[in-house]
Amino acid sequence: MDRKIISERAARTVMYLSLAVVIFLVVSVIWTILSRGLPVLTWGMITQLPSGGFYIGGEGGFLNAIVGSLLIVGFSTVLGLAISLPVVFYMNVYLKPNSKFGYVARLAYDTLFGIPSIVYGAFAFTIMVWLGMKASLLGGVLVVTLLITPILIRSIDEAARTIPHSLLESSYSLGATRLETIGIVLRQIAPAIATATLLAVGRAIGDAAAVMFTAGFSDNIPTSPMQQTATLPLSIFFQLSAPQTDVQDRAYAAAVVLTIIVLALSLGGRYIMNRFSQK
């Protein structure tokens, strides 16, 4: 048999096996969460705040953690985009394509992209202690913003770099300024912005290490940026650490809610991305 045919079949077999492993892992994780979480998940858990002893088997729910996660992720995403988009536009519109400064900047963002979230949490906690700040919603928002900004910059930047430089030159030749050219770039990379935002939100809402030091934990919904706030990942962590089986099952119920939120954000992001792509 021809060696090319053998290598082709071997490569195809490896791809099929890899796909099967990925599907098996995803199905296993989802099945474990749903099989243990759905039977104990009630409407009261979603709509009620934790009462006394909730994390050791008491009554109540984890509404505080749901709201806290959404607050941190929402504000962090807005701040992250406000920082990331000007950086991307500067590197791709104002800098030359082979700029050394752009190369160094991208290398720095790649490095920040790979730093574990626990390092961001420890760094932010050190700064907060130096400034005299306590764990709060504001601290959680700031550290998550630091965490997702490199993700946003590098993801959007990779899409912006695929734009032909001739398109920018055509814009300049028609008398457009660099600021006006940014509008053209923005329309070209709109789907990439939606995708990058989706990736950043998925990373932010499921992270527990960073907010453990900076956001703290509270049984109440914060009414000011300086109050502590709970998050779903920390709520799951605390309940899984309990020795009672029923409390651990509640952790899986919280994991079901977190999975549903991530799924809803993913579907919403894909819808927005498809709308941008059509236009």
Side-chain angles (χ1 to χ4, degrees):
M1 186 178 296
D2 191 356
R3 295 178 61 181
K4 291 185 178 180
I5 297 178
I6 295 176
S7 61
E8 176 70 21
R9 291 182 178 178
R12 185 181 303 176
T13 302
V14 171
M15 288 188 288
Y16 285 151
L17 289 175
S18 301
L19 178 62
V21 170
V22 171
I23 294 176
F24 173 76
L25 292 176
V26 172
V27 172
S28 299
V29 171
I30 294 177
W31 172 254
T32 302
I33 294 173
L34 295 181
S35 62
R36 293 196 60 176
L38 279 181
V40 299
L41 180 63
T42 63
W43 183 248
M45 288 185 182
I46 303 174
T47 59
Q48 295 178 6
L49 296 175
S51 58
F54 173 75
Y55 294 101
I56 56 174
E59 298 297 327
F62 40 80
L63 177 63
N64 59 324
I66 297 174
V67 175
S69 291
L70 294 178
L71 287 175
I72 289 178
V73 170
F75 286 118
S76 300
T77 303
V78 172
L79 284 176
L81 286 173
I83 297 172
S84 304
L85 289 177
V87 172
V88 172
F89 292 145
Y90 178 75
M91 290 193 300
N92 290 277
V93 177
Y94 284 85
L95 291 181
K96 296 180 179 179
N98 297 323
S99 171
K100 292 183 178 179
F101 178 78
Y103 173 80
V104 173
R106 291 183 175 94
L107 179 62
Y109 290 125
D110 284 337
T111 303
L112 292 173
F113 190 105
I115 294 178
S117 59
I118 188 68
V119 177
Y120 282 101
F123 171 76
F125 179 73
T126 303
I127 299 300
M128 290 170 63
V129 170
W130 183 66
L131 295 175
M133 292 178 57
K134 296 181 179 179
S136 60
L137 172 62
L138 178 61
V141 169
L142 292 178
V143 72
V144 174
T145 301
L146 290 175
L147 178 66
I148 67 174
T149 297
I151 301 174
L152 290 169
I153 291 176
R154 290 302 289 129
S155 300
I156 300 174
D157 178 59
E158 286 300 323
R161 295 179 69 183
T162 62
I163 298 176
H165 195 66
S166 58
L167 180 63
L168 304 184
E169 294 176 345
S170 300
S171 176
Y172 299 144
S173 66
L174 293 174
T177 63
R178 289 185 176 181
L179 188 60
E180 292 171 336
T181 304
I182 286 177
I184 299 175
V185 175
L186 180 61
R187 286 191 288 270
Q188 293 292 322
I189 64 174
I193 294 175
T195 303
T197 303
L198 179 62
L199 292 173
V201 168
R203 172 78 182 274
I205 199 171
D207 188 83
V211 296
M212 182 183 298
F213 299 106
T214 56
F217 200 85
S218 174
D219 289 344
N220 300 311
I221 296 175
T223 56
S224 76
M226 303 311 297
Q227 292 182 349
Q228 296 190 25
T229 183
T231 56
L232 277 172
L234 283 181
S235 177
I236 295 170
F237 172 75
F238 291 147
Q239 291 177 92
L240 280 177
S241 302
Q244 299 93 331
T245 304
D246 57 338
V247 178
Q248 294 177 2
D249 289 337
R250 289 182 181 181
Y252 286 96
V256 170
V257 175
L258 180 59
T259 303
I260 292 174
I261 293 175
V262 173
L263 179 61
L265 292 173
S266 300
L267 294 177
R270 288 185 177 277
Y271 173 77
I272 295 174
M273 183 175 62
N274 290 334
R275 289 294 300 271
F276 278 132
S277 298
Q278 291 174 2
K279 299 180 179 180

